[in-house]
Amino acid sequence: YVIHRLCFHLYPFPEKNERKIYTPEHVMHILGQYDIKYKDFGEKNQNEFIISLLGKLHDELNKKKNFKNDDFKTEIIKKDKDMTINASLKHFVNNNDSIISNYFIWFKIKQTKCIKCSNEFYTFQYFPSFDLNILDCAKFYKNKIQEIKIENCLEFYSMYKYNTKTFCSFCKAYGECASETLIYSSPIVFIFLLDFKGNQNINFVIEQRINIDKFVENKNAPSSYDLNGIVYYDLNKKKYNAFCVSPVDKMWYLYDDENVNLIEFEIFINMYKTSKIFIPFILLYNSEANNRNKIK
C-alpha cells in the first residue's frame, strides 16, 4: 500500500497539475518493523536497501501463499546439469509468482568438481540483483583495457574459477572442490549492484545500452537492455542521489531530495566522466523495449 501511495505521488498523472514533495517515511517505517536498521531516517546502504525492499514486496505480492523460499536463494543440487535446471525451475514456478519474481529474478548455475573423486555436480540459484565486483575485474584486466564496462565484469564473472571446500555427495564428505558459475537466464529488469571496494580511481563506463547475449545460456531470455536509472554517491554533497528515466515522458531527471531537474543523459554522463565526484552504486537496465518477442 505505501509503495502504491509513493508511486501515486511521484508519477505525474494527467489529472494532477502539480506534484508535491513526498517523504517516504512510511516506507522506512514498514521496513523498520522487519529490520531494525531502517527505523531511523539516516543514510542507508543503498544495495542492502533495494534487496530488502524487493524481498518485502515479493513476500506481500506472492500469489503462491504457501511458498518455501529463502530470499530467492534456494539451492537445488543435482548430479546432472539439465536435471538441476529442470528441477530448480519447477521449484521456482511452484513457489514464486509476483511482479518482483517475474521481472527482477535472474538465474545462475554453478558447476563444481570434486578434486578427490573428479565427479561433477551442479547448484542452481536465483537472485533479484547482480553484484558486480568492479575492483577485482579491473585488477584482472589491468594493462589490457583502459575502461571497465558491464560486459567486462560479466566476462570476468563467467570465466572466474575458484577452489572452495564443500560437501561432495559422491565422497560423502567435505573436501576441496573447483567451481565456476554461469548465468543461466536473465531478467526483464536487471539491477546491477556495483562494488568498487573503496577504490575511486577505476575508470568505469556507464553505457546507455548493453547486450549480454553471449553471457547467458538460455537464448530465449532477454539480452538487450536500455539504462533506466542510476543511484550514485555525490562526493561533494556526501549523499546518495538518483538519475532516472521518467516512466511517463521517458525523459531523464536528476533526483536530489526535493530538487528534481530535467537533464539530458549526455550532459550527466559528461559530468560523471570529467568531475570524478559521482560514484555509481546501482544501475537499472530494462529489456522490455528491445526483447518483446523473447519475453513473450
Side-chain angles (χ1 to χ4, degrees), residues 10 24 43 46 49-50 206 227-235 237-246 251-265 268-269 271-272 277-284:
L10 292 180
E43 289 276 326
Q46 68 293 324
F49 176 79
I50 193 67
I206 299 177
L227 182 66
N228 272 202
I230 306 169
V231 175
Y232 67 94
Y233 187 76
D234 189 319
L235 290 172
K237 297 182 178 180
K238 307 297 183 185
K239 61 192 291 295
Y240 294 102
N241 287 333
F243 183 57
C244 306
V245 171
S246 166
M251 305 294 285
W252 283 90
Y253 289 86
L254 183 62
Y255 296 86
D256 182 357
D257 292 338
E258 70 272 14
N259 299 313
V260 179
N261 296 302
L262 178 66
I263 296 182
E264 292 184 12
F265 179 80
F268 176 86
I269 292 299
M271 292 168 56
Y272 164 69
I277 62 171
F278 298 159
I279 303 176
F281 278 91
I282 299 176
L283 301 180
L284 187 147

Side-chain angles (χ1 to χ4, degrees), residues 43-195:
E43 289 276 326
K44 309 299 180 187
N45 181 292
Q46 68 293 324
N47 291 6
E48 292 179 359
F49 176 79
I50 193 67
I51 299 303
S52 297
L53 182 61
L54 291 175
K56 183 57 185 159
L57 283 172
H58 174 66
D59 289 346
E60 293 193 354
L61 299 174
N62 194 358
K63 298 175 184 177
K64 308 289 187 178
K65 295 303 181 183
N66 297 319
F67 68 95
K68 298 177 180 180
N69 204 3
D70 180 20
D71 296 331
F72 301 115
K73 298 179 182 178
T74 301
E75 297 185 2
I76 290 184
I77 303 174
K78 299 286 184 181
K79 302 174 185 178
D80 178 82
K81 183 177 180 180
D82 291 336
M83 186 184 299
T84 303
I85 293 173
N86 292 333
S88 300
L89 290 176
K90 182 179 179 180
H91 171 87
F92 181 81
V93 171
N94 288 339
N95 290 279
N96 300 278
D97 184 10
S98 75
I99 191 172
I100 306 301
S101 62
N102 295 338
Y103 271 74
F104 294 92
I105 295 299
W106 68 279
F107 302 85
K108 79 174 185 179
I109 186 162
K110 181 171 71 173
Q111 176 180 302
T112 304
K113 183 176 182 179
C114 178
I115 302 299
K116 182 179 179 181
C117 68
S118 297
N119 282 301
E120 296 180 346
F121 52 96
Y122 299 86
T123 308
F124 197 87
Q125 294 176 295
Y126 31 92
F127 305 90
S129 62
F130 197 114
D131 294 329
L132 293 180
N133 190 332
I134 308 297
L135 180 59
D136 286 352
C137 179
K139 289 180 178 178
F140 179 81
Y141 287 107
K142 187 177 181 180
N143 301 325
K144 295 180 182 179
I145 56 178
Q146 300 299 316
E147 300 176 331
I148 301 297
K149 302 178 180 180
I150 286 181
E151 178 181 348
N152 304 127
C153 296
L154 295 179
E155 183 177 51
F156 172 70
Y157 179 86
S158 63
M159 65 191 301
Y160 179 67
K161 299 181 180 180
Y162 55 96
N163 285 1
T164 183
K165 283 191 175 182
T166 189
F167 182 81
C168 175
S169 56
F170 297 94
C171 297
K172 304 299 181 183
Y174 281 90
E176 194 76 15
C177 294
S179 298
E180 60 180 311
T181 304
L182 300 173
I183 302 172
Y184 171 71
S185 189
S186 51
I188 296 175
V189 178
F190 225 142
I191 297 178
F192 292 103
L193 307 182
L194 313 183
D195 187 0

